[in-house]
Amino acid sequence: MRRFLILVGAWLAAVPASAQDCTPVPHRYLAWGAPGERIVWGETVPLGQVWELESGGAATTDNRVLEYMAQHFVPPGWFVPHATSGYHSNSPTSVTGSTPVIAFQRGTILSAGEALGVRVNSTPDFATMAVLYKVFVYPEACLARLKGVAALVSAGAPSPPDFTALLQAAQIAATALTGLAASVP
Amino acid sequence: MSHHQSLKVLLVCVSRALEMIAHGLADYAKTL
């Protein structure tokens, strides 16, 4: 009886671990580049995660008319154009120190090893700019759910169930029962 | 028939039934 309870306990403990938790976990990031730095990157998505962009972009303290470009870094080393390049000018009276200049595309899904960044076409006397965003973090296995497709897509026929272990167990149990029956006087 | 004999028959029946179910499942798996 005690062994049975231990088995049931072990099974119950194993169930939550095998279930995939796709609860969105919010994550926020803000990083200013150094003065004169004309390419600023966000974080690289860690292995085993997918990120869904909720909102984000770049802010600047430079008040000149400049071209800002958002880019999506995709391994092995591509800088995929991400947002429409735009021109920006802070009027001298409205420089607040963190004017938004370009937005990342909302809903973008970033895979492990990818990152979002912004570059600006400017002379080296550029002031500073920041990359900031809010993403939702999920385990990599949630990608199918994020994309709204079935998680399990099989190319061929599904493999038949394997009853070998069950057959073996049944044979052992049957032998034991037969032995038990033989021992009954 | 004594209780012991009944138990013996029951055990043998359960044992055979187990074997048959297991073999039936194995055959069924081959048809999938």
Side-chain angles (χ1 to χ4, degrees), chain A residues 78-97:
Chain A
W78 302 324
F79 303 108
V80 180
H82 182 70
T84 318
S85 54
Y87 289 84
H88 165 69
S89 169
N90 278 335
S91 80
T93 53
S94 70
V95 174
T96 60

Side-chain angles (χ1 to χ4, degrees), chain A residues 38-40 58 68-71 102 104 117-120 129 131:
Chain A
R38 287 167 288 174
I39 300 175
V40 178
Y68 292 87
M69 291 155 288
Q71 55 191 354
I102 195 166
F104 296 135
V118 175
R119 67 171 71 195
V120 60
M129 67 175 171
V131 162

Side-chain angles (χ1 to χ4, degrees), chain A residues 160-163 166-167 170-171 173-175 177-178 180-185, chain B residues 2 4-5 7-8 11-12 14-16 18-19 22-23 25-26 28-29 32:
Chain A
D162 185 9
F163 288 115
L166 180 70
L167 185 62
Q171 270 165 352
T175 309
L177 282 172
T178 311
L180 192 62
S183 71
V184 174
Chain B
S2 73
H4 280 171
Q5 277 176 321
L7 179 65
K8 201 167 179 167
L11 283 173
V12 170
V14 171
S15 155
R16 293 285 173 272
L18 259 179
E19 273 182 311
H23 280 113
L25 274 175
Y28 168 66
L32 293 177

Side-chain angles (χ1 to χ4, degrees), chain A residues 27-33 40-43 51 55-61 97-100 104 116 128-135:
Chain A
H27 171 71
R28 298 164 187 90
Y29 180 79
L30 165 64
W32 283 95
V40 178
W41 284 105
E43 301 151 294
W51 290 6
S55 56
T60 187
T61 55
S98 57
T99 307
F104 296 135
L116 289 172
T128 54
M129 67 175 171
V131 162
L132 63 161
Y133 50 77
K134 177 193 174 185
V135 295

